[in-house]
Amino acid sequence: MWWFKNSQLPVSLPEPLSSEEQKRIKRKCVASLKALQSCLRANPGLPLASKHLESRAIECFAEVAAPQQAQAYKACYLAEMEDQEHPDYTADACQAYVTAMADALRARHCHPLP
């Protein structure tokens, strides 16, 4: 049997949040996180009721922990806002960016939802 070295470049794993980033998230995102938690408690079994609040909490966390993904989401949202009158449709149009932010937050172990 032949053994070959892996020729792929090493994958850089995201760094865990620094204590400063944790403090910034706690200060910045407390209102959006509490609103989301309240909505989830008030509407158990109705995940669509809190969809916009969930996106907002994810965006808030991402502004600190995944700024590139947050910036891409904002660009999509603002571009869609210019084209559409209703913000709920805009949020749906940018769902791929919300997913990207959520994935980046999970990689750094700081997603706002379990």
Side-chain angles (χ1 to χ4, degrees), residues 2-78:
W2 294 93
W3 295 96
F4 296 98
K5 287 187 177 181
N6 188 351
S7 62
Q8 293 179 345
L9 296 175
V11 177
S12 63
L13 297 174
E15 295 182 24
L17 289 179
S18 68
S19 61
E20 180 58 35
E21 287 174 317
Q22 290 173 0
K23 289 176 189 175
R24 285 179 52 213
I25 286 175
K26 190 177 267 190
R27 276 192 317 265
K28 180 181 175 95
C29 304
V30 66
S32 61
L33 194 54
K34 284 186 178 184
L36 174 59
Q37 290 169 343
S38 295
C39 186
L40 290 171
R41 278 193 303 274
N43 300 290
L46 298 172
L48 292 178
S50 59
K51 184 177 178 183
H52 185 70
L53 291 172
E54 181 179 343
S55 295
R56 179 60 199 124
I58 289 170
E59 179 188 9
C60 187
F61 274 56
E63 287 172 349
V64 175
Q68 290 176 334
Q69 289 84 352
Q71 198 67 315
Y73 170 75
K74 281 184 184 181
C76 174
Y77 191 87
L78 293 174

Side-chain angles (χ1 to χ4, degrees), residues 48-111:
L48 292 178
S50 59
K51 184 177 178 183
H52 185 70
L53 291 172
E54 181 179 343
S55 295
R56 179 60 199 124
I58 289 170
E59 179 188 9
C60 187
F61 274 56
E63 287 172 349
V64 175
Q68 290 176 334
Q69 289 84 352
Q71 198 67 315
Y73 170 75
K74 281 184 184 181
C76 174
Y77 191 87
L78 293 174
E80 290 293 323
M81 283 292 287
E82 290 178 3
D83 294 341
Q84 298 179 10
E85 295 178 16
H86 201 277
D88 287 343
Y89 300 131
T90 300
D92 290 341
C94 299
Q95 189 59 41
Y97 294 95
V98 174
T99 302
M101 289 188 297
D103 291 345
L105 294 175
R106 281 189 196 94
R108 294 196 71 191
H109 305 289
C110 64
H111 193 280

